[in-house]
Amino acid sequence: MSIRALWVVSHEKGESGKVRFSRRFPTVEFRAKSLAGSQYVAVPEDRVIPQLLLTELGLVDADKSYVDIRDDCARQHRSPAVELLIDGQGGRTLWPVLTVTQGTLILACLPLVEAPPEPRPPLPSLASVSQGLAFLSGLQDFLCGSGGKPEPDVLASRLGALPSVLLQVCPLGRPLDIPPPSGLVPSAVAPSPGGAQKQPAWKAGVHRGRAVVSVALTEKVRSMQYGKSSRQDIWDVYGVLTLPPNGSPLQDILVHPCVTSLDASILTACSVDENDGSAFSGPYKFPFSPPLELFRLCSYTSQVPVPPILGSYQLKAEENHLKVNVVLKLHESVKNSFEYCEAHIPFFNQNLIGSVEVKVSSGQLEVSKEKNLLVWVLGQKFPKSREATLEGSVHFSGTVTGPSDPLCTGLTAYVKLYFRVPDLTLSGCCVDQHSVQVYSSAKPRIVTTRELVSSEYYIWNSTGDAPVSSGYTVL
């Protein structure tokens, strides 16, 4: 997989359309010209790219009035790739330009498509698209970090370090790794204590110690529950994957740029396509040449029939206090063995908590009055019945207002779950220790693990309003 060009474009008010960073790779462009022949479309100048991107992404009129076709919340972007019209409608086009939008930044790259331009190959069949999106995701983490919007001087510093980082992770336009998160400089950039050992410029680090291959498979479940309706999806895995005989096929697979070859059928399953009929169910094999640092080999989504923990939350207002009732049920397919399990119940836009009269059937309750928060610590196991309840009342007093949230007004409230279950995945996906093959003179020790972790796991108050759509849901 190779990249012809890379751009970081700002669409912030006052500097919309400014190119903050760009990089072109002439050797890759030469290959693109050779492959396309007479159908070759050259990458235009940087001054042209921002306007084309802003137009295609519907951001040209971002500071003007509401436009239904652009601003309607029901509008869904069905494709991660856009087509840039170089000469206007009916003229030459640049495809596929991959984009990731983060705040006021647009990250874009043009991967090399090693196939004739016409007829245009199906997008899911192109491994370069999957790897390009993974590269942009790493670039997003490097520039913006976990907070999503770094300070201007921090962003400028990270953009200044980007050329040096690209020399390590994307030499000559061929990604071997993804940029490290939160602006960290990879260890390969720093001087190595290897002395006179000769290492290639694109892998300058020297490993010391026993060779170990550690493959960790982590599934993160997101859930939005409100009354009887819920939605959830799982993602994030590191490893070589197999599914049980009755397992649902994995979807939306993105692979790290270090993957050297990939079966196109692995990439065809897409959760956005309602008519997707892919029946590929593994095994999923990923040959790769790994970087020295810890990295994400691939990510995926998978359909989940029910949440691992089904919850009910009822909050009723009475004079100067609130009646609280929470019921949590652990699904029978989930192992009743947690590393930790907690339910956080915040109360926004209220005076500070005065007193709490609440009983729990399992675990213990902690009260943070200054944060207007109840923390229900369920511990490492649910009761034998697999059901736990919290019931009581919360009284508020004084004139000091606690934390506020513009969304949680009236009876709009939620319970947020935090849990981790070792040695379990909802999809049944696993990493077979014997399937990890290492072609090296070293005999590394191979370690495989798996776990299920909560991520944005909400249970909304069923007696109030909740921001849950009843339309088409992607699991």
Side-chain angles (χ1 to χ4, degrees):
M1 180 260 181
S2 298
I3 292 177
R4 295 171 59 185
L6 176 70
W7 301 277
V8 178
V9 178
S10 172
H11 64 93
E12 189 171 5
K13 190 173 181 180
E15 60 173 26
S16 183
K18 180 180 179 181
V19 178
R20 301 293 302 272
F21 178 87
S22 69
R23 179 57 51 90
R24 295 159 186 262
F25 301 97
T27 54
V28 183
E29 195 65 19
F30 180 80
R31 290 172 57 200
K33 188 175 182 179
S34 301
L35 288 168
S38 60
Q39 297 176 307
Y40 168 71
V41 178
V43 179
E45 298 178 4
D46 284 347
R47 62 183 177 82
V48 179
I49 291 296
Q51 188 66 23
L52 295 175
L53 283 173
L54 293 173
T55 301
E56 184 62 34
L57 297 175
L59 298 172
V60 174
D61 299 320
D63 58 342
K64 296 186 179 180
S65 58
Y66 173 85
V67 179
D68 182 73
I69 192 173
R70 183 194 70 214
D71 301 322
D72 187 354
C73 62
R75 179 174 181 257
Q76 294 186 8
H77 293 282
R78 291 277 175 173
S79 173
V82 297
E83 181 181 59
L84 301 187
L85 304 177
I86 305 299
D87 298 323
Q89 197 67 31
R92 297 177 303 155
T93 60
L94 206 60
W95 180 92
V97 178
L98 309 179
T99 62
V100 171
T101 303
Q102 175 71 50
T104 58
L105 291 181
I106 301 173
L107 314 179
C109 73
L110 177 63
L112 175 66
V113 177
E114 301 192 45
E118 297 295 339
R120 181 173 290 179
L123 197 65
S125 68
L126 301 175
S128 59
V129 171
S130 173
Q131 293 173 317
L133 288 171
F135 183 80
L136 287 181
S137 177
L139 179 61
Q140 177 185 18
D141 290 342
F142 173 78
L143 294 176
C144 303
S146 58
K149 188 178 181 181
E151 295 297 324
D153 56 336
V154 175
L155 178 60
S157 174
R158 293 175 181 177
L159 286 169
L162 193 53
S164 299
V165 173
L166 287 179
L167 284 176
Q168 300 295 324
V169 301
C170 190
L172 304 177
R174 185 174 180 84
L176 303 178
D177 199 354
I178 59 176
S182 303
L184 297 175
V185 177
S187 59
V189 176
S192 170
Q197 296 186 48
K198 293 184 178 180
Q199 294 288 113
W202 53 88
K203 190 176 287 187
V206 177
H207 174 74
R208 293 181 178 276
R210 183 180 178 183
V212 177
V213 176
S214 179
V215 185
L217 191 155
T218 301
E219 286 189 347
K220 295 185 179 181
V221 57
R222 295 174 177 172
S223 182
M224 189 79 71
Q225 301 181 33
Y226 177 57
K228 295 183 179 180
S229 63
S230 64
R231 54 179 290 183
Q232 58 279 330
D233 65 323
I234 56 180
W235 60 283
D236 270 7
V237 60
Y238 313 76
V240 182
L241 313 173
T242 57
L243 286 173
N246 60 345
S248 298
L250 305 183
Q251 300 174 323
D252 307 326
I253 294 178
L254 296 181
V255 296
H256 190 280
C258 72
V259 174
T260 55
S261 63
L262 198 63
D263 187 345
S265 59
I266 292 178
L267 302 174
T268 56
C270 177
S271 62
V272 177
D273 187 356
E274 301 179 47
N275 300 315
D276 177 58
S278 173
F280 187 85
S281 57
Y284 298 82
K285 299 180 180 179
F286 303 99
F288 60 95
S289 178
L292 293 178
E293 310 296 333
L294 179 69
F295 70 102
R296 179 185 301 173
L297 177 62
C298 75
S299 64
Y300 65 84
T301 65
S302 179
Q303 295 182 357
V304 182
V306 292
I309 300 178
L310 185 64
S312 170
Y313 180 31
Q314 292 186 340
L315 186 67
K316 298 179 180 179
E318 298 187 6
E319 186 177 356
N320 204 32
H321 71 276
L322 295 173
K323 287 283 189 180
V324 183
N325 182 277
V326 181
V327 179
L328 300 177
K329 295 182 179 180
L330 180 64
H331 192 266
E332 58 184 9
S333 64
V334 179
K335 182 174 62 173
N336 191 6
S337 178
F338 293 78
E339 186 175 316
Y340 60 83
C341 183
E342 294 182 357
H344 289 205
I345 311 173
F347 300 97
F348 295 106
N349 308 312
Q350 301 277 356
N351 292 337
L352 291 179
I353 293 177
S355 61
V356 175
E357 299 174 2
V358 172
K359 292 183 179 180
V360 295
S361 64
S362 179
Q364 61 185 19
L365 186 69
E366 299 176 358
V367 181
S368 176
K369 293 186 177 181
E370 65 277 5
K371 295 182 180 179
N372 268 16
L373 176 68
L374 303 185
V375 178
W376 182 12
V377 182
L378 288 110
Q380 297 180 330
K381 282 185 177 294
F382 271 66
K384 290 185 178 180
S385 63
R386 290 181 169 257
E387 180 174 314
T389 60
L390 177 149
E391 188 174 8
S393 59
V394 179
H395 298 259
F396 303 90
S397 62
T399 57
V400 179
T401 303
S404 62
D405 187 324
L407 182 64
C408 296
T409 58
L411 291 178
T412 300
Y414 62 81
V415 175
K416 186 173 183 180
L417 298 187
Y418 298 85
F419 59 83
R420 183 188 298 270
V421 187
D423 196 28
L424 176 75
T425 56
L426 284 183
S427 65
C429 204
C430 65
V431 181
D432 183 1
Q433 186 175 8
H434 300 288
S435 71
V436 181
Q437 300 178 1
V438 181
Y439 296 93
S440 171
S441 57
K443 297 295 182 182
R445 180 168 57 94
I446 297 175
V447 180
T448 61
T449 60
R450 60 176 181 168
E451 63 181 1
L452 177 68
V453 182
S454 63
S455 173
E456 299 181 21
Y457 204 105
Y458 292 95
I459 303 168
W460 290 88
N461 175 29
S462 59
T463 62
D465 297 326
V468 180
S469 170
S470 59
Y472 173 68
T473 299
V474 178
L475 296 179

Short mmCIF file of all heavy atoms in Angstrom, two decimals, residues 118-172:
data_model
loop_
_atom_site.label_atom_id
_atom_site.label_comp_id
_atom_site.label_asym_id
_atom_site.label_seq_id
_atom_site.Cartn_x
_atom_site.Cartn_y
_atom_site.Cartn_z
N GLU A 118 -10.57 2.40 -15.08
CA GLU A 118 -11.85 2.00 -15.64
C GLU A 118 -11.77 0.55 -16.11
O GLU A 118 -10.81 0.16 -16.79
CB GLU A 118 -12.23 2.92 -16.81
CG GLU A 118 -12.42 4.38 -16.43
CD GLU A 118 -13.59 4.60 -15.50
OE1 GLU A 118 -14.49 3.72 -15.47
OE2 GLU A 118 -13.62 5.63 -14.81
N PRO A 119 -12.78 -0.26 -15.76
CA PRO A 119 -13.88 0.08 -14.85
C PRO A 119 -13.40 0.23 -13.42
O PRO A 119 -12.47 -0.47 -13.01
CB PRO A 119 -14.82 -1.12 -14.99
CG PRO A 119 -13.91 -2.26 -15.36
CD PRO A 119 -12.84 -1.66 -16.23
N ARG A 120 -14.01 1.14 -12.70
CA ARG A 120 -13.59 1.45 -11.34
C ARG A 120 -13.81 0.25 -10.43
O ARG A 120 -14.92 -0.28 -10.36
CB ARG A 120 -14.36 2.66 -10.83
CG ARG A 120 -13.98 3.09 -9.43
CD ARG A 120 -14.67 4.40 -9.06
NE ARG A 120 -14.12 5.53 -9.81
CZ ARG A 120 -14.57 6.78 -9.69
NH1 ARG A 120 -15.56 7.04 -8.85
NH2 ARG A 120 -14.02 7.75 -10.39
N PRO A 121 -12.78 -0.20 -9.70
CA PRO A 121 -12.95 -1.37 -8.82
C PRO A 121 -13.84 -1.03 -7.63
O PRO A 121 -13.89 0.12 -7.18
CB PRO A 121 -11.52 -1.68 -8.37
CG PRO A 121 -10.79 -0.38 -8.51
CD PRO A 121 -11.42 0.32 -9.68
N PRO A 122 -14.58 -2.02 -7.09
CA PRO A 122 -15.41 -1.77 -5.90
C PRO A 122 -14.55 -1.31 -4.72
O PRO A 122 -13.46 -1.84 -4.48
CB PRO A 122 -16.05 -3.13 -5.61
CG PRO A 122 -15.91 -3.91 -6.89
CD PRO A 122 -14.67 -3.42 -7.55
N LEU A 123 -15.03 -0.32 -4.01
CA LEU A 123 -14.27 0.26 -2.90
C LEU A 123 -13.88 -0.79 -1.85
O LEU A 123 -12.73 -0.81 -1.39
CB LEU A 123 -15.07 1.39 -2.26
CG LEU A 123 -14.31 2.35 -1.36
CD1 LEU A 123 -13.29 3.14 -2.16
CD2 LEU A 123 -15.27 3.31 -0.67
N PRO A 124 -14.80 -1.71 -1.43
CA PRO A 124 -14.42 -2.67 -0.38
C PRO A 124 -13.34 -3.64 -0.81
O PRO A 124 -12.72 -4.27 0.03
CB PRO A 124 -15.74 -3.41 -0.09
CG PRO A 124 -16.82 -2.52 -0.60
CD PRO A 124 -16.24 -1.81 -1.77
N SER A 125 -13.10 -3.78 -2.12
CA SER A 125 -12.10 -4.74 -2.58
C SER A 125 -10.69 -4.18 -2.52
O SER A 125 -9.72 -4.90 -2.78
CB SER A 125 -12.42 -5.17 -4.02
OG SER A 125 -12.23 -4.08 -4.92
N LEU A 126 -10.53 -2.89 -2.19
CA LEU A 126 -9.23 -2.24 -2.19
C LEU A 126 -8.62 -2.25 -0.80
O LEU A 126 -9.10 -1.56 0.11
CB LEU A 126 -9.35 -0.80 -2.70
CG LEU A 126 -9.92 -0.63 -4.12
CD1 LEU A 126 -10.10 0.84 -4.46
CD2 LEU A 126 -9.01 -1.30 -5.14
N ALA A 127 -7.56 -3.03 -0.61
CA ALA A 127 -6.89 -3.06 0.69
C ALA A 127 -6.28 -1.70 1.01
O ALA A 127 -6.17 -1.34 2.19
CB ALA A 127 -5.81 -4.14 0.70
N SER A 128 -5.90 -0.93 -0.01
CA SER A 128 -5.29 0.37 0.23
C SER A 128 -6.27 1.34 0.91
O SER A 128 -5.85 2.25 1.62
CB SER A 128 -4.81 0.98 -1.08
OG SER A 128 -5.87 1.13 -2.01
N VAL A 129 -7.57 1.15 0.70
CA VAL A 129 -8.57 1.99 1.36
C VAL A 129 -8.62 1.69 2.85
O VAL A 129 -8.60 2.59 3.69
CB VAL A 129 -9.96 1.80 0.71
CG1 VAL A 129 -11.04 2.50 1.52
CG2 VAL A 129 -9.95 2.33 -0.72
N SER A 130 -8.66 0.40 3.19
CA SER A 130 -8.66 0.00 4.60
C SER A 130 -7.41 0.48 5.31
O SER A 130 -7.47 1.06 6.40
CB SER A 130 -8.80 -1.52 4.71
OG SER A 130 -8.65 -1.96 6.03
N GLN A 131 -6.25 0.28 4.68
CA GLN A 131 -4.99 0.68 5.31
C GLN A 131 -4.84 2.19 5.36
O GLN A 131 -4.30 2.75 6.31
CB GLN A 131 -3.83 0.05 4.54
CG GLN A 131 -3.78 -1.47 4.66
CD GLN A 131 -2.73 -2.09 3.77
OE1 GLN A 131 -2.58 -1.71 2.62
NE2 GLN A 131 -2.02 -3.07 4.29
N GLY A 132 -5.35 2.89 4.33
CA GLY A 132 -5.30 4.35 4.33
C GLY A 132 -6.13 4.96 5.44
O GLY A 132 -5.71 5.93 6.09
N LEU A 133 -7.31 4.39 5.70
CA LEU A 133 -8.15 4.88 6.79
C LEU A 133 -7.50 4.62 8.14
O LEU A 133 -7.60 5.45 9.05
CB LEU A 133 -9.54 4.22 6.72
CG LEU A 133 -10.44 4.70 5.59
CD1 LEU A 133 -11.69 3.82 5.50
CD2 LEU A 133 -10.84 6.15 5.78
N ALA A 134 -6.85 3.47 8.28
CA ALA A 134 -6.14 3.19 9.53
C ALA A 134 -5.00 4.19 9.73
O ALA A 134 -4.75 4.64 10.85
CB ALA A 134 -5.59 1.75 9.51
N PHE A 135 -4.31 4.54 8.64
CA PHE A 135 -3.23 5.52 8.74
C PHE A 135 -3.77 6.89 9.14
O PHE A 135 -3.20 7.57 9.99
CB PHE A 135 -2.50 5.61 7.40
CG PHE A 135 -1.31 6.53 7.42
CD1 PHE A 135 -0.10 6.10 7.93
CD2 PHE A 135 -1.41 7.82 6.94
CE1 PHE A 135 1.00 6.95 7.97
CE2 PHE A 135 -0.31 8.68 6.97
CZ PHE A 135 0.89 8.24 7.49
N LEU A 136 -4.90 7.31 8.54
CA LEU A 136 -5.50 8.60 8.90
C LEU A 136 -5.98 8.60 10.35
O LEU A 136 -5.91 9.62 11.04
CB LEU A 136 -6.66 8.92 7.97
CG LEU A 136 -6.31 9.33 6.53
CD1 LEU A 136 -7.59 9.64 5.75
CD2 LEU A 136 -5.38 10.53 6.50
N SER A 137 -6.48 7.46 10.80
CA SER A 137 -6.91 7.36 12.20
C SER A 137 -5.73 7.55 13.15
O SER A 137 -5.84 8.25 14.17
CB SER A 137 -7.57 5.99 12.45
OG SER A 137 -7.93 5.84 13.80
N GLY A 138 -4.58 6.97 12.81
CA GLY A 138 -3.38 7.18 13.61
C GLY A 138 -2.91 8.62 13.55
O GLY A 138 -2.47 9.19 14.56
N LEU A 139 -3.00 9.24 12.37
CA LEU A 139 -2.61 10.64 12.22
C LEU A 139 -3.53 11.54 13.05
O LEU A 139 -3.09 12.52 13.66
CB LEU A 139 -2.68 11.03 10.75
CG LEU A 139 -2.33 12.49 10.40
CD1 LEU A 139 -0.90 12.81 10.81
CD2 LEU A 139 -2.53 12.74 8.90
N GLN A 140 -4.81 11.18 13.10
CA GLN A 140 -5.77 11.93 13.91
C GLN A 140 -5.40 11.87 15.38
O GLN A 140 -5.42 12.89 16.08
CB GLN A 140 -7.17 11.35 13.69
CG GLN A 140 -8.28 11.97 14.52
CD GLN A 140 -9.60 11.23 14.33
OE1 GLN A 140 -9.63 10.11 13.86
NE2 GLN A 140 -10.68 11.88 14.68
N ASP A 141 -5.04 10.70 15.88
CA ASP A 141 -4.63 10.56 17.29
C ASP A 141 -3.35 11.33 17.56
O ASP A 141 -3.19 11.91 18.64
CB ASP A 141 -4.44 9.09 17.64
CG ASP A 141 -5.74 8.32 17.69
OD1 ASP A 141 -6.80 8.97 17.78
OD2 ASP A 141 -5.71 7.08 17.60
N PHE A 142 -2.42 11.33 16.60
CA PHE A 142 -1.15 12.03 16.78
C PHE A 142 -1.36 13.54 16.89
O PHE A 142 -0.80 14.20 17.77
CB PHE A 142 -0.22 11.71 15.61
CG PHE A 142 1.07 12.51 15.63
CD1 PHE A 142 2.10 12.16 16.47
CD2 PHE A 142 1.22 13.62 14.81
CE1 PHE A 142 3.29 12.89 16.49
CE2 PHE A 142 2.39 14.36 14.81
CZ PHE A 142 3.43 13.99 15.66
N LEU A 143 -2.20 14.10 16.01
CA LEU A 143 -2.38 15.54 15.98
C LEU A 143 -3.33 16.04 17.07
O LEU A 143 -3.09 17.09 17.68
CB LEU A 143 -2.92 15.98 14.61
CG LEU A 143 -1.98 15.80 13.42
CD1 LEU A 143 -2.70 16.20 12.14
CD2 LEU A 143 -0.71 16.62 13.59
N CYS A 144 -4.40 15.31 17.32
CA CYS A 144 -5.47 15.80 18.20
C CYS A 144 -5.48 15.16 19.58
O CYS A 144 -6.07 15.72 20.50
CB CYS A 144 -6.83 15.61 17.53
SG CYS A 144 -6.96 16.40 15.91
N GLY A 145 -4.85 13.99 19.74
CA GLY A 145 -4.85 13.33 21.03
C GLY A 145 -6.23 12.86 21.43
O GLY A 145 -7.19 12.88 20.64
N SER A 146 -6.38 12.43 22.68
CA SER A 146 -7.66 11.93 23.16
C SER A 146 -8.68 13.03 23.40
O SER A 146 -9.88 12.79 23.40
CB SER A 146 -7.45 11.13 24.47
OG SER A 146 -6.84 11.96 25.45
N GLY A 147 -8.20 14.26 23.62
CA GLY A 147 -9.13 15.36 23.90
C GLY A 147 -9.89 15.81 22.68
O GLY A 147 -10.96 16.40 22.79
N GLY A 148 -9.35 15.56 21.49
CA GLY A 148 -10.06 15.89 20.26
C GLY A 148 -9.80 17.28 19.73
O GLY A 148 -9.96 17.53 18.56
N LYS A 149 -9.40 18.24 20.58
CA LYS A 149 -9.14 19.60 20.12
C LYS A 149 -7.97 20.19 20.92
O LYS A 149 -8.16 20.79 21.97
CB LYS A 149 -10.39 20.47 20.28
CG LYS A 149 -10.23 21.86 19.64
CD LYS A 149 -11.49 22.69 19.77
CE LYS A 149 -11.32 24.05 19.11
NZ LYS A 149 -12.53 24.89 19.25
N PRO A 150 -6.74 20.00 20.41
CA PRO A 150 -5.58 20.52 21.14
C PRO A 150 -5.49 22.03 21.04
O PRO A 150 -6.10 22.65 20.17
CB PRO A 150 -4.41 19.85 20.41
CG PRO A 150 -4.91 19.62 19.03
CD PRO A 150 -6.38 19.32 19.18
N GLU A 151 -4.72 22.62 21.93
CA GLU A 151 -4.48 24.06 21.88
C GLU A 151 -3.73 24.41 20.60
O GLU A 151 -2.97 23.58 20.08
CB GLU A 151 -3.68 24.50 23.10
CG GLU A 151 -4.40 24.34 24.42
CD GLU A 151 -5.66 25.19 24.50
OE1 GLU A 151 -5.64 26.32 23.95
OE2 GLU A 151 -6.65 24.75 25.10
N PRO A 152 -3.91 25.64 20.08
CA PRO A 152 -3.26 26.01 18.81
C PRO A 152 -1.76 25.81 18.81
O PRO A 152 -1.18 25.33 17.82
CB PRO A 152 -3.63 27.49 18.66
CG PRO A 152 -4.92 27.63 19.40
CD PRO A 152 -4.82 26.70 20.57
N ASP A 153 -1.07 26.17 19.93
CA ASP A 153 0.38 26.01 19.96
C ASP A 153 0.78 24.54 19.99
O ASP A 153 1.82 24.15 19.42
CB ASP A 153 0.98 26.77 21.16
CG ASP A 153 0.37 26.32 22.48
OD1 ASP A 153 -0.77 25.81 22.47
OD2 ASP A 153 1.02 26.47 23.53
N VAL A 154 -0.04 23.71 20.66
CA VAL A 154 0.25 22.27 20.70
C VAL A 154 0.08 21.67 19.31
O VAL A 154 0.91 20.88 18.84
CB VAL A 154 -0.69 21.56 21.71
CG1 VAL A 154 -0.48 20.05 21.65
CG2 VAL A 154 -0.43 22.08 23.12
N LEU A 155 -1.01 22.05 18.62
CA LEU A 155 -1.24 21.55 17.26
C LEU A 155 -0.11 21.99 16.32
O LEU A 155 0.38 21.19 15.51
CB LEU A 155 -2.59 22.05 16.74
CG LEU A 155 -2.95 21.66 15.31
CD1 LEU A 155 -3.01 20.14 15.17
CD2 LEU A 155 -4.29 22.28 14.90
N ALA A 156 0.33 23.25 16.45
CA ALA A 156 1.41 23.74 15.60
C ALA A 156 2.70 22.95 15.84
O ALA A 156 3.44 22.64 14.90
CB ALA A 156 1.64 25.24 15.86
N SER A 157 2.96 22.62 17.11
CA SER A 157 4.15 21.85 17.44
C SER A 157 4.10 20.45 16.83
O SER A 157 5.08 19.95 16.29
CB SER A 157 4.30 21.76 18.96
OG SER A 157 5.36 20.91 19.33
N ARG A 158 2.91 19.82 16.90
CA ARG A 158 2.78 18.47 16.35
C ARG A 158 2.85 18.48 14.82
O ARG A 158 3.40 17.55 14.22
CB ARG A 158 1.46 17.86 16.83
CG ARG A 158 1.45 17.60 18.33
CD ARG A 158 0.10 17.11 18.84
NE ARG A 158 0.14 16.91 20.28
CZ ARG A 158 -0.91 16.54 21.01
NH1 ARG A 158 -2.09 16.36 20.43
NH2 ARG A 158 -0.79 16.37 22.31
N LEU A 159 2.30 19.52 14.20
CA LEU A 159 2.42 19.64 12.75
C LEU A 159 3.87 19.84 12.35
O LEU A 159 4.33 19.33 11.32
CB LEU A 159 1.56 20.80 12.24
CG LEU A 159 0.04 20.58 12.22
CD1 LEU A 159 -0.70 21.89 11.94
CD2 LEU A 159 -0.33 19.54 11.17
N GLY A 160 4.63 20.57 13.18
CA GLY A 160 6.04 20.78 12.90
C GLY A 160 6.86 19.50 13.01
O GLY A 160 7.86 19.33 12.30
N ALA A 161 6.42 18.58 13.90
CA ALA A 161 7.14 17.31 14.08
C ALA A 161 6.71 16.26 13.06
O ALA A 161 7.36 15.22 12.92
CB ALA A 161 6.90 16.77 15.49
N LEU A 162 5.62 16.53 12.32
CA LEU A 162 5.06 15.53 11.43
C LEU A 162 6.03 15.10 10.32
O LEU A 162 6.08 13.90 10.00
CB LEU A 162 3.75 16.05 10.83
CG LEU A 162 2.87 15.03 10.11
CD1 LEU A 162 2.58 13.83 10.99
CD2 LEU A 162 1.55 15.68 9.68
N PRO A 163 6.81 16.01 9.69
CA PRO A 163 7.75 15.53 8.66
C PRO A 163 8.73 14.49 9.17
O PRO A 163 8.99 13.49 8.48
CB PRO A 163 8.47 16.82 8.23
CG PRO A 163 7.50 17.92 8.52
CD PRO A 163 6.79 17.49 9.77
N SER A 164 9.26 14.68 10.37
CA SER A 164 10.20 13.70 10.94
C SER A 164 9.51 12.38 11.24
O SER A 164 10.08 11.30 11.02
CB SER A 164 10.83 14.26 12.22
OG SER A 164 11.56 15.44 11.96
N VAL A 165 8.27 12.47 11.72
CA VAL A 165 7.53 11.25 12.03
C VAL A 165 7.22 10.48 10.75
O VAL A 165 7.33 9.24 10.69
CB VAL A 165 6.23 11.59 12.79
CG1 VAL A 165 5.36 10.35 12.97
CG2 VAL A 165 6.56 12.19 14.16
N LEU A 166 6.84 11.20 9.68
CA LEU A 166 6.51 10.53 8.42
C LEU A 166 7.73 9.82 7.83
O LEU A 166 7.59 8.80 7.15
CB LEU A 166 5.95 11.53 7.42
CG LEU A 166 4.54 12.05 7.68
CD1 LEU A 166 4.13 13.06 6.62
CD2 LEU A 166 3.54 10.89 7.71
N LEU A 167 8.93 10.35 8.07
CA LEU A 167 10.13 9.66 7.60
C LEU A 167 10.25 8.27 8.21
O LEU A 167 10.80 7.36 7.59
CB LEU A 167 11.38 10.49 7.94
CG LEU A 167 11.66 11.72 7.07
CD1 LEU A 167 12.86 12.48 7.60
CD2 LEU A 167 11.89 11.31 5.62
N GLN A 168 9.74 8.12 9.43
CA GLN A 168 9.83 6.83 10.11
C GLN A 168 8.66 5.92 9.76
O GLN A 168 8.86 4.73 9.48
CB GLN A 168 9.87 7.04 11.63
CG GLN A 168 11.03 7.88 12.11
CD GLN A 168 12.36 7.20 11.88
OE1 GLN A 168 12.46 5.99 12.00
NE2 GLN A 168 13.37 7.97 11.53
N VAL A 169 7.45 6.45 9.78
CA VAL A 169 6.27 5.59 9.63
C VAL A 169 5.78 5.50 8.20
O VAL A 169 4.99 4.61 7.87
CB VAL A 169 5.12 6.09 10.54
CG1 VAL A 169 5.56 6.09 11.99
CG2 VAL A 169 4.62 7.46 10.12
N CYS A 170 6.22 6.41 7.31
CA CYS A 170 5.76 6.40 5.93
C CYS A 170 6.88 6.80 4.98
O CYS A 170 6.77 7.79 4.25
CB CYS A 170 4.55 7.34 5.77
SG CYS A 170 3.69 7.22 4.19
N PRO A 171 7.97 6.04 4.96
CA PRO A 171 9.08 6.40 4.07
C PRO A 171 8.70 6.21 2.61
O PRO A 171 8.10 5.20 2.23
CB PRO A 171 10.19 5.42 4.49
CG PRO A 171 9.46 4.24 5.04
CD PRO A 171 8.24 4.80 5.70
N LEU A 172 9.01 7.21 1.79
CA LEU A 172 8.75 7.15 0.34
C LEU A 172 7.29 6.86 0.02
O LEU A 172 6.97 6.27 -1.01
CB LEU A 172 9.66 6.10 -0.32
CG LEU A 172 11.17 6.28 -0.10
CD1 LEU A 172 11.93 5.13 -0.75
CD2 LEU A 172 11.63 7.62 -0.64
#
